[in-house]
Amino acid sequence: MVVVALNIKTPDSVPVKRALISVSDKTGLAEFAIALAARGVELVSTGGTRNMLADLGLKVRDATELTGFPEIMDGRVKTLHPGVHGGLLAVRDHPDHASAMIAHDILPIDLLIVNLYPFEEVRHSGADAGSIIENIDIGGPAMVRAAAKNHAYVSAVTDPADYQLVLNEMDQANGATRLSFRKSLAAKAFARTAAYDAAVSGWFAGTLEALAAPRYSAFAGKLSEELRYGENPHQSAALYLTGEKRPGVATATQLQGKQLSYNNINDTDAAFELVAEFDPEVSAACAIIKHANPCGVATAKTLTEAYRDALACDPTSAFGGIVALNQMLNVEAAHEIIKTFTEVIIAPAVSDEAKAIIATKKNLRLLVTGGLPDLRAKGLTVKSVAGGLLVQGRDNGAVEDLQLKVVTKRAPSAQELNDLRFAFRVTKHVKSNAIVYAKDGATVGIGAGQMSRIDSARIAVIKAKDAAIANGWEMSRLQNCVVASDAFFPFADGLITAIEAGATAIIQPGGSMRDDEVIAAADARGVAMVFTGMRHFRH
């Protein structure tokens, strides 16, 4: 059915004479309601909100006076009534609508103040399914959508941050609101209900394991902050929060430093997700990231040692990079890190003494997350393409969960096996095609984002040799190292390059049509190789 427009001229100025208030979040409501009453606005409210306003000494009509019907079913049904929705949806200048309002004693509502049950917060709080379902708001979104649709006459306010804007508008418009203002509120209101419904549908989808790709899907977030610009100065950008309580850059507390840029946020996310691969109870770990790729990663007994080893992998690229730590930032590590220009430090916690040291670098951003993300947790990653969205499950594969298969005549030694696992963890976070050389729990050469795997292998060797020069070593650390590849070697040439550089053991997913050729090349050179059976492409 197609609904035909009523062709009624939309008024610009609509006096605010009656406001319906029904909120879950009562932040700022007392002051707002008092200010509305002082401007002669009649207040109508429901349940607990009405009681709160009445306790302030305000004259408040109960919403049941509009409906002539009591709240029932524990408050599940209270505003879903023509007495409310007629007052919100009526086209007041249409004769039929006006006569219907008179016939049914429906009062016009000029201002709707509603915020919704805290579904997003409850969903991520660990509450049981029953509690989550009870926090799905029905009446609130219905009223908000009604008021926003009828913004020709009604102002729909869904955010406590807008209360003062409403008062300013009324003062400027002699107690009324203007069409442009009501329209802006309507746009925000529909965005809010869309985000709310997306959160609800997303939760339901997450409970249905078999429904991997539903026919319709919604993605939404709440604005955290507008950014200065995007990847480049001519691009606009903003950070939105999904409500997921995953420790990381989006949920971290920034203790000091300039506002994070788009690129800072992207790189810091990559750094912290990488460093979370390493259990802080087992070893300290540090990852240094530049342009979303690691330029050095290391584990050690202390953060200071881990940072030094990570920095040694590529000190040139680390300049102006992001440093991620898997343990509390302490004094020794803080002193070491500030010796090199760094854009961001992110850690689960920071000592007061270390905080004071970082404060000497006023532009250095320091982020504290309160914990590490669970690398095995499920989740979605979303990427825009022209005309659509690419959606996939988070890469939560962990090398510790894999059955490594030795495919060569020689098996890796215990030390080689430890380094192979370390290198494969890092490779998961390097842009494809990815090659990582590692030794003694530290990267010694990284090749990222090349069109051919052999080029990545060669670049990693160049990086390792450059690091030797930068650190004043007589030779690179490639001798007797191990190498990891994010995907199979399609030909033996990339593997041979790694062996000639000094690798004595290889870890890769396997699965190439030429696996036999690659295995034979490894056997001919006396090196060990294991297959993981799991690929880690990252584009």
Side-chain angles (χ1 to χ4, degrees):
M1 181 183 73
V2 177
V3 179
V4 179
L6 297 176
N7 294 321
I8 302 296
K9 185 178 179 181
T10 301
D12 181 48
S13 181
V14 175
V16 179
K17 298 179 180 179
R18 182 174 296 106
L20 174 58
I21 307 172
S22 181
V23 297
S24 175
D25 178 4
K26 296 178 174 57
T27 302
L29 181 63
E31 297 82 0
F32 186 39
I34 291 170
L36 289 174
R39 288 165 173 77
V41 178
E42 181 185 46
L43 305 181
V44 182
S45 191
T46 61
T49 304
R50 182 195 174 281
N51 293 337
M52 171 198 159
L53 297 177
D55 289 344
L56 294 173
L58 296 173
K59 183 178 180 182
V60 189
R61 294 182 67 175
D62 196 298
T64 58
E65 295 182 37
L66 303 187
T67 64
F69 204 91
E71 293 185 16
I72 61 173
M73 301 177 183
D74 297 318
R76 276 192 169 200
V77 179
K78 52 189 174 186
T79 59
L80 296 169
H81 190 281
V84 170
H85 285 269
L88 294 172
L89 282 167
V91 179
R92 302 173 192 178
D93 296 311
H94 191 286
D96 291 347
H97 289 211
S99 61
M101 293 178 74
I102 294 171
H104 299 287
D105 295 324
I106 295 174
L107 299 176
I109 299 168
D110 310 303
L111 177 64
L112 177 74
I113 304 156
V114 168
N115 55 61
L116 310 179
Y117 292 171
F119 175 84
E120 294 100 331
E121 290 82 357
V122 174
R123 172 194 176 187
H124 293 293
S125 70
D128 59 77
S131 299
I132 293 172
I133 289 170
E134 282 307 307
N135 278 277
I136 298 175
D137 203 334
I138 301 301
M143 288 191 290
V144 168
R145 288 173 58 82
K149 174 178 179 175
N150 201 31
H151 62 272
Y153 300 93
V154 186
S155 299
V157 183
T158 57
D159 187 346
D162 291 338
Y163 290 169
Q164 188 58 50
L165 295 179
V166 174
L167 297 175
N168 294 345
E169 171 71 8
M170 290 175 63
D171 291 343
Q172 293 171 17
N174 297 317
T177 60
R178 291 163 293 193
L179 178 60
S180 60
F181 182 73
R182 297 193 300 275
K183 194 171 184 178
S184 69
L185 290 177
K188 186 169 185 177
F190 278 118
R192 178 67 189 107
T193 58
Y196 195 81
D197 286 341
V200 174
S201 67
W203 176 75
F204 272 104
T207 66
L208 303 173
E209 294 290 342
L211 198 61
R215 181 171 176 80
Y216 295 98
S217 192
F219 304 91
K222 180 181 180 181
L223 180 66
S224 173
E225 61 178 321
E226 293 186 50
L227 305 175
R228 287 173 293 162
Y229 52 81
E231 284 186 285
N232 300 291
H234 63 277
Q235 295 171 267
S236 61
L239 173 64
Y240 286 82
L241 302 181
T242 64
E244 182 185 16
K245 302 304 181 185
R246 185 175 178 84
V249 63
T251 57
T253 300
Q254 183 172 348
L255 300 183
Q256 70 160 66
K258 298 184 295 184
Q259 181 191 29
L260 292 165
S261 70
Y262 178 98
N263 291 329
N264 289 153
I265 293 170
N266 188 55
D267 291 352
T268 305
D269 178 66
F272 203 59
E273 289 289 320
L274 193 168
V275 86
E277 295 281 343
F278 304 100
D279 186 346
E281 298 298 324
V282 175
S283 60
C286 174
I288 305 175
I289 294 285
K290 193 74 167 289
H291 299 304
N293 271 310
C295 37
V297 184
T299 58
K301 292 182 180 179
T302 69
L303 283 180
T304 303
E305 293 175 286
Y307 173 75
R308 286 173 179 161
D309 288 345
L311 181 65
C313 180
D314 189 355
T316 301
S317 298
F319 185 85
I322 311 294
V323 172
L325 308 171
N326 73 336
Q327 296 179 353
M328 175 187 287
L329 175 61
N330 55 36
V331 171
E332 295 78 11
H335 274 304
E336 197 67 28
I337 291 170
I338 64 171
K339 292 177 182 178
T340 299
F341 171 58
T342 299
E343 290 276 7
V344 180
I345 301 172
I346 184 168
V350 57
S351 70
D352 289 339
E353 296 84 356
K355 192 187 307 181
I357 293 165
I358 301 301
T360 63
K361 303 290 183 181
K362 64 178 183 179
N363 290 329
L364 172 54
R365 292 90 159 180
L366 177 59
L367 306 181
V368 174
T369 65
L372 291 171
D374 180 359
L375 68 95
R376 292 179 174 84
K378 294 181 179 180
L380 296 178
T381 64
V382 182
K383 179 182 179 181
S384 65
V385 294
L389 297 172
L390 273 176
V391 183
Q392 65 175 345
R394 180 184 288 125
D395 184 356
N396 60 355
V399 68
E400 291 81 7
D401 300 333
L402 304 178
Q403 293 294 321
L404 302 184
K405 180 182 179 182
V406 178
V407 295
T408 48
K409 295 175 182 177
R410 183 173 81 80
S413 67
Q415 179 60 48
E416 285 175 330
L417 192 57
N418 286 337
D419 281 339
L420 288 171
R421 289 195 177 101
F422 167 85
F424 201 66
R425 288 192 194 104
V426 175
T427 305
K428 173 181 170 182
H429 297 268
V430 179
K431 301 293 185 182
S432 298
N433 287 312
I435 293 290
V436 173
Y437 296 95
K439 184 177 181 179
D440 298 330
T443 56
V444 297
I446 300 173
Q450 298 305 302
M451 289 67 76
S452 70
R453 196 159 300 279
I454 190 171
D455 285 342
S456 291
R458 289 167 175 162
I459 288 172
V461 171
I462 294 170
K463 286 286 188 181
K465 291 178 178 178
D466 288 346
I469 296 171
N471 288 292
W473 301 332
E474 290 186 6
M475 58 186 301
S476 75
R477 299 182 65 198
L478 289 170
Q479 292 306 309
N480 300 316
C481 72
V482 304
V483 66
S485 175
D486 64 336
F488 61 67
F489 286 98
F491 302 96
D493 54 2
L495 178 135
I496 292 169
T497 297
I499 295 171
E500 290 176 347
T504 60
I506 298 101
I507 187 169
Q508 58 138 319
S512 168
M513 292 177 60
R514 294 182 174 84
D515 274 349
D516 290 343
E517 175 186 326
V518 174
I519 294 169
D523 279 334
R525 289 158 179 81
V527 303
M529 184 160 62
V530 297
F531 283 1
T532 66
M534 177 179 285
R535 190 181 75 185
H536 282 307
F537 271 166
R538 181 173 292 261
H539 293 104

